[in-house]
Amino acid sequence: MDKARIAILLSGRGSNFLALREAIERGEIPAEIVLVLSNQANAGGLAKAESFGLKTICLPHRGLARAEHEDQVLQALRAENVEWLCLAGYMRILTPLLIEAFPQRIVNIHPSLLPAFPGLDAQQQAWDYGARIAGCTVHLVDSGVDTGPIVMQTAVSAEGLSSGDELAAKILEQEHRLYPRALARLLGGPWRVDGRRVMFPSR
Ligand code: GRF
């Protein structure tokens, strides 16, 4: 199977990037990471990518209009012939420029069972709400905040935990399993979007 040329976009520590990279190295995802892009020069994930010898680029957004920054991002992606984008803690809301350049080829992981708790600090939101079941979601990206069609989800029990941080750690473990599985499924065979539903043929 041809390997998809993927870019990872991140703004922080990059543990989901590592999980994706390890699964790719194990041959579980038919993909090649051709670029790791960050808007934050001090992102831990960027340093890790460099240490692996991956191609990296930092495009700070500060001082730029949103459209101007995103145009720079798009040029960088085009220069590497990127086919798919994996958002992994990328703290920017995408504009239609990128979304239309990669139709149904932008994937994100969010640390809640969407549509509950979109936006920032989702795990703390779930904890503060008293949710007894929390979790994580891999979804296709549209122009809303964490609103795109759901690809896969994993539920996590909050029973017996004593803080939002504990819940976040428990969810993160599952994120590292879910994201590679979901990406492998998207890249590994046919699927389509029917309304809000990502349809995989039964197997
Ligand atoms: C993860 O919790 C992910 O769900 C969210 O941002 C966080 C990124 O963590 N979108 P990391 O940088 O992958 O460790």
Side-chain angles (χ1 to χ4, degrees), residues 12-17 88-89 108-111 123 172 175:
R13 67 192 161 184
S15 70
N16 279 287
F17 151 56
N108 183 42
I109 185 152
H110 181 74
Q123 310 95 322
L172 190 64
E175 292 184 42

Side-chain angles (χ1 to χ4, degrees), residues 101-129:
F102 295 91
Q104 296 187 346
R105 285 175 175 240
I106 309 179
V107 191
N108 183 42
I109 185 152
H110 181 74
S112 80
L113 288 180
L114 290 170
F117 311 122
L120 292 176
D121 287 331
Q123 310 95 322
Q124 192 64 41
Q125 289 187 55
W127 178 258
D128 292 344
Y129 196 86

Side-chain angles (χ1 to χ4, degrees), residues 106-202:
I106 309 179
V107 191
N108 183 42
I109 185 152
H110 181 74
S112 80
L113 288 180
L114 290 170
F117 311 122
L120 292 176
D121 287 331
Q123 310 95 322
Q124 192 64 41
Q125 289 187 55
W127 178 258
D128 292 344
Y129 196 86
R132 308 186 85 95
I133 304 283
C136 46
T137 302
V138 172
H139 64 93
L140 301 175
V141 173
D142 64 12
S143 55
V145 177
D146 304 321
T147 51
I150 290 171
V151 180
M152 281 188 190
Q153 295 184 297
T154 302
V156 164
S157 170
E159 299 296 335
L161 303 182
S162 52
S163 69
D165 285 349
E166 274 187 31
L167 180 59
K170 195 168 173 187
I171 293 171
L172 190 64
E173 270 179 40
Q174 295 307 320
E175 292 184 42
H176 296 161
R177 297 178 185 187
L178 184 69
Y179 208 172
R181 271 208 299 132
L183 188 60
R185 189 110 200 246
L186 288 172
L187 297 181
W191 53 274
R192 67 191 164 85
V193 178
D194 182 6
R196 286 210 43 86
R197 199 168 298 273
V198 179
M199 309 283 288
F200 295 102
S202 47

